[in-house]
Amino acid sequence: MTTLSGSHQGTLESLLSRLETVTSRLENIQGGTAGEGNVTGHPTSSAGPDAGSGSTPASSTSVTDYTSLTGPAVAALLEAAQPLGAEILKASEIVEKAFWAQAGVVAAIAQCKKPTPNELPIFLAPVAEHMQAATAMTEGRRSTVFNHQKVVAESLHALSWMVYTGPNCGLSLPPQHVEESWQSAEFFANKVMMEFRNADSRHVDWVKALKQLFQQLKAYVKQHHMAGPSWNPGGIPFTDFKADKNASAASNPAPALASASAPRPPPPGPSKGGPAAPPPPPPGSLFQPKGPTAAAPAASTSSSGMSAVFSELNKGGNVTSGLKKVTDDMKTKNRADRSGAIPSPAPSSNATTSKAATKAPAQAPPKLELVLGRKWSIENHTNNRSLVVDQTDSKQSVYIFNCSNCTVQVQGKVNAITLDSCTRTGLVFQDLVSSCEVVNCTSVEVQSTGIMPTIAIDKTDGIALYLSEASLGVAITTAKSSAINVVVPGNGDSDPLELPVPEQFVSMFKDGKLLTEAVTHSGA
C-alpha cells in the first residue's frame, strides 16, 4: 500500500471529518427534533401521516446513501488534486462544492412535494452557481490545464438530472443523463490521459478519481431516482423548505433553498448543460447596403458618364481636337532600334498595393444553421470551442466546413456527418445511422460515444479517432491520408490503447493476382 505524506494524511482526515459533519446535518434535516418541530417550522405533534416532513425510511435512506456513495469519492478526488497545482485543485474544489450543494437539494427532494415549473430554476440555483463557475474557468485566455478544466465543466452537467420532469422535457432519464454527460467530458479526459500517461501518472489518477465520482453518482441516481427525482407526495411545499441554520455554506449549501420563496431569475442556459448560442452575425458594416440608397450612386455615375460621351460626339469635327499630336520622332519608321517594343513604366507603389488588395480573398461570415430541415451547416468558424448541435433527427445530416481550432458537439442520432477542410478541430457525436466522412483536413480529432457503422478518411493529414465500446465494430476506410491513430478503450481500468493505421504497403504479383499487404517492421 502507498503511504501518504503527513500533509496529505491530514488533508484526508479533514475531508472525512467534514463529510461526517454533513451527514449528521442532513440526518437532522430529515428527522427534525422532538419538541422543536421539523425543519419547516411546523410542530411535529400536529403533522399527520400525509403532511409529514418527509422523514420516511425511504427518504432517510436516500439522503444517507447519497453521502456515503459520493462523499468518499469527493475526498479521493481532492486528495488526487493536491500535488497537481493550484488551478487543478481549484477546479476540484468546485466539484466538491457542487456535490455538497446537491446534497442539500437531495434533502429537499426527500421532504418536499414536486415543485411547479416556475420553481424548478430556483430549485437548481445552488448547484447552477458552481456549474457556472466551472464553465467560467474554461473561458478567456486558455490555461495550461485547459483540458482538466474542460473535463470538470462538461462532467458537472450531470448534476442537472434533478430537473428531469418527463419524456418530453429534453433530458434523458437521470442515470442515462449522468452517463451521457460523462461521455461528453471523456473527450477531454482522454486528452489528459494521453498527455500525461508516460509523463506524470498523478494526472491519470486524478482523471480516474473524477470518473469514479460520477460512476458513484450514477449508481445513486439509478437506485433512488431511476425515473426522475423521487419527490415526497405527502411532503411540504417546496417554498416552505428550511435547511439547517447552523450549516456552513461550504459544507452544506442547503440554506440557499431557505429563500426559495423570493423569486429569482433562472440561471443562464450554459449552466444547465444546454448548448451555447450560435455565434452572432458579423457587423452590419461588412455587408453592402441594400435598396435604392445603394443603387443611387451607381446610377448617377453611369448617367453622367454616358452624357459626357454623347456631348463629345455632338462636337462634330472638333471631336479630335483634344487628342495628342504624334510627332516625327514618335513614328516607328524614324526610330533607331526599329524593334517596335515599348518599354513599360515601373509600377507605382499605389498600383502594387491595389493589386494585393484585389487578390486578398474575403473572409466568409461564420454560419450555424439548419437548411431546409434536413442538413445542419457549420461553416467558417475560428477559435470557437462551444459549437453544439442538439435539435437533431435521424434523417438529418451535419456538414462542417472550413473551421479552425474549434470543437463541435452533435447530440442525439443523425444520419451522417462530414468534416471538410478543417484544421485543429475536434468532433464529438453520439449515434450515426450511416457514416462519418473526413476530407481534406489537418490535425483533427473525432470521437464517437455511441454507434458508428463506418468512417471514411480521405486526403487528411493527422487524425485521432476515439472509439467507444459501442463503436468498436466500425469499418474504417482510408485513402491518401497519413498519421491516422485509432484510440480504443482499455480493459477494465487500464489506459486507452492507441493503434496506428498502416500507411506503407508492399504489392506482389503471385498466381495471376496482385497481392497487397501492409509493411511490417522487425520489432513491431
PDB file of all heavy atoms in Angstrom, residues 9 25 35 118 167 220 324 357 410 427:
ATOM      1  N   GLN A   9      -2.083  13.079   4.625  1.00  0.00           N
ATOM      2  CA  GLN A   9      -2.881  12.350   5.607  1.00  0.00           C
ATOM      3  C   GLN A   9      -3.778  13.306   6.379  1.00  0.00           C
ATOM      4  O   GLN A   9      -4.953  13.029   6.636  1.00  0.00           O
ATOM      5  CB  GLN A   9      -1.935  11.603   6.559  1.00  0.00           C
ATOM      6  CG  GLN A   9      -2.665  10.774   7.616  1.00  0.00           C
ATOM      7  CD  GLN A   9      -3.379   9.588   7.004  1.00  0.00           C
ATOM      8  OE1 GLN A   9      -2.946   9.070   5.992  1.00  0.00           O
ATOM      9  NE2 GLN A   9      -4.475   9.188   7.595  1.00  0.00           N
ATOM     10  N   ARG A  25     -25.730  16.588   9.686  1.00  0.00           N
ATOM     11  CA  ARG A  25     -26.660  17.704   9.467  1.00  0.00           C
ATOM     12  C   ARG A  25     -27.804  17.305   8.549  1.00  0.00           C
ATOM     13  O   ARG A  25     -28.945  17.706   8.750  1.00  0.00           O
ATOM     14  CB  ARG A  25     -25.910  18.897   8.893  1.00  0.00           C
ATOM     15  CG  ARG A  25     -25.012  19.577   9.922  1.00  0.00           C
ATOM     16  CD  ARG A  25     -24.068  20.556   9.292  1.00  0.00           C
ATOM     17  NE  ARG A  25     -23.262  21.240  10.307  1.00  0.00           N
ATOM     18  CZ  ARG A  25     -22.197  21.964  10.049  1.00  0.00           C
ATOM     19  NH1 ARG A  25     -21.800  22.106   8.791  1.00  0.00           N
ATOM     20  NH2 ARG A  25     -21.509  22.551  11.005  1.00  0.00           N
ATOM     21  N   GLY A  35     -40.197  18.260  19.988  1.00  0.00           N
ATOM     22  CA  GLY A  35     -40.467  19.448  20.770  1.00  0.00           C
ATOM     23  C   GLY A  35     -40.120  20.742  20.056  1.00  0.00           C
ATOM     24  O   GLY A  35     -40.600  21.791  20.413  1.00  0.00           O
ATOM     25  N   ASN A 118     -42.261  26.953 -12.466  1.00  0.00           N
ATOM     26  CA  ASN A 118     -41.609  28.223 -12.158  1.00  0.00           C
ATOM     27  C   ASN A 118     -40.605  28.092 -11.016  1.00  0.00           C
ATOM     28  O   ASN A 118     -39.702  28.920 -10.873  1.00  0.00           O
ATOM     29  CB  ASN A 118     -42.650  29.279 -11.794  1.00  0.00           C
ATOM     30  CG  ASN A 118     -43.516  29.672 -12.979  1.00  0.00           C
ATOM     31  OD1 ASN A 118     -43.075  29.572 -14.123  1.00  0.00           O
ATOM     32  ND2 ASN A 118     -44.732  30.102 -12.714  1.00  0.00           N
ATOM     33  N   PRO A 167     -40.646  12.396 -20.243  1.00  0.00           N
ATOM     34  CA  PRO A 167     -40.027  12.047 -21.532  1.00  0.00           C
ATOM     35  C   PRO A 167     -39.879  13.227 -22.482  1.00  0.00           C
ATOM     36  O   PRO A 167     -39.013  13.218 -23.341  1.00  0.00           O
ATOM     37  CB  PRO A 167     -40.986  10.991 -22.100  1.00  0.00           C
ATOM     38  CG  PRO A 167     -41.734  10.455 -20.918  1.00  0.00           C
ATOM     39  CD  PRO A 167     -41.850  11.595 -19.954  1.00  0.00           C
ATOM     40  N   TYR A 220     -26.063   5.979  -7.483  1.00  0.00           N
ATOM     41  CA  TYR A 220     -27.039   6.538  -6.551  1.00  0.00           C
ATOM     42  C   TYR A 220     -28.335   6.915  -7.264  1.00  0.00           C
ATOM     43  O   TYR A 220     -29.430   6.586  -6.803  1.00  0.00           O
ATOM     44  CB  TYR A 220     -26.449   7.762  -5.854  1.00  0.00           C
ATOM     45  CG  TYR A 220     -27.500   8.588  -5.142  1.00  0.00           C
ATOM     46  CD1 TYR A 220     -28.035   8.185  -3.934  1.00  0.00           C
ATOM     47  CD2 TYR A 220     -27.989   9.760  -5.723  1.00  0.00           C
ATOM     48  CE1 TYR A 220     -29.022   8.920  -3.299  1.00  0.00           C
ATOM     49  CE2 TYR A 220     -28.970  10.507  -5.103  1.00  0.00           C
ATOM     50  CZ  TYR A 220     -29.487  10.085  -3.887  1.00  0.00           C
ATOM     51  OH  TYR A 220     -30.468  10.806  -3.276  1.00  0.00           O
ATOM     52  N   LYS A 324      -3.643  64.092 -78.538  1.00  0.00           N
ATOM     53  CA  LYS A 324      -2.241  64.494 -78.544  1.00  0.00           C
ATOM     54  C   LYS A 324      -1.646  64.267 -79.933  1.00  0.00           C
ATOM     55  O   LYS A 324      -1.858  63.205 -80.530  1.00  0.00           O
ATOM     56  CB  LYS A 324      -1.473  63.684 -77.503  1.00  0.00           C
ATOM     57  CG  LYS A 324      -0.016  64.119 -77.376  1.00  0.00           C
ATOM     58  CD  LYS A 324       0.662  63.328 -76.270  1.00  0.00           C
ATOM     59  CE  LYS A 324       2.116  63.758 -76.127  1.00  0.00           C
ATOM     60  NZ  LYS A 324       2.805  62.995 -75.061  1.00  0.00           N
ATOM     61  N   ALA A 357      -4.496  44.109 -52.706  1.00  0.00           N
ATOM     62  CA  ALA A 357      -5.815  44.180 -52.066  1.00  0.00           C
ATOM     63  C   ALA A 357      -6.856  43.452 -52.896  1.00  0.00           C
ATOM     64  O   ALA A 357      -7.789  42.847 -52.349  1.00  0.00           O
ATOM     65  CB  ALA A 357      -6.213  45.639 -51.862  1.00  0.00           C
ATOM     66  N   VAL A 410     -22.228  17.101 -31.497  1.00  0.00           N
ATOM     67  CA  VAL A 410     -23.505  16.736 -32.112  1.00  0.00           C
ATOM     68  C   VAL A 410     -24.205  15.776 -31.166  1.00  0.00           C
ATOM     69  O   VAL A 410     -23.730  14.660 -30.923  1.00  0.00           O
ATOM     70  CB  VAL A 410     -23.297  16.086 -33.495  1.00  0.00           C
ATOM     71  CG1 VAL A 410     -24.645  15.742 -34.111  1.00  0.00           C
ATOM     72  CG2 VAL A 410     -22.515  17.014 -34.407  1.00  0.00           C
ATOM     73  N   LEU A 427     -14.350  16.833 -33.123  1.00  0.00           N
ATOM     74  CA  LEU A 427     -15.743  16.472 -33.392  1.00  0.00           C
ATOM     75  C   LEU A 427     -16.159  15.365 -32.437  1.00  0.00           C
ATOM     76  O   LEU A 427     -15.498  14.322 -32.360  1.00  0.00           O
ATOM     77  CB  LEU A 427     -15.913  16.012 -34.847  1.00  0.00           C
ATOM     78  CG  LEU A 427     -17.247  15.363 -35.224  1.00  0.00           C
ATOM     79  CD1 LEU A 427     -18.393  16.356 -35.058  1.00  0.00           C
ATOM     80  CD2 LEU A 427     -17.209  14.822 -36.644  1.00  0.00           C
TER      81      LEU A 427
END
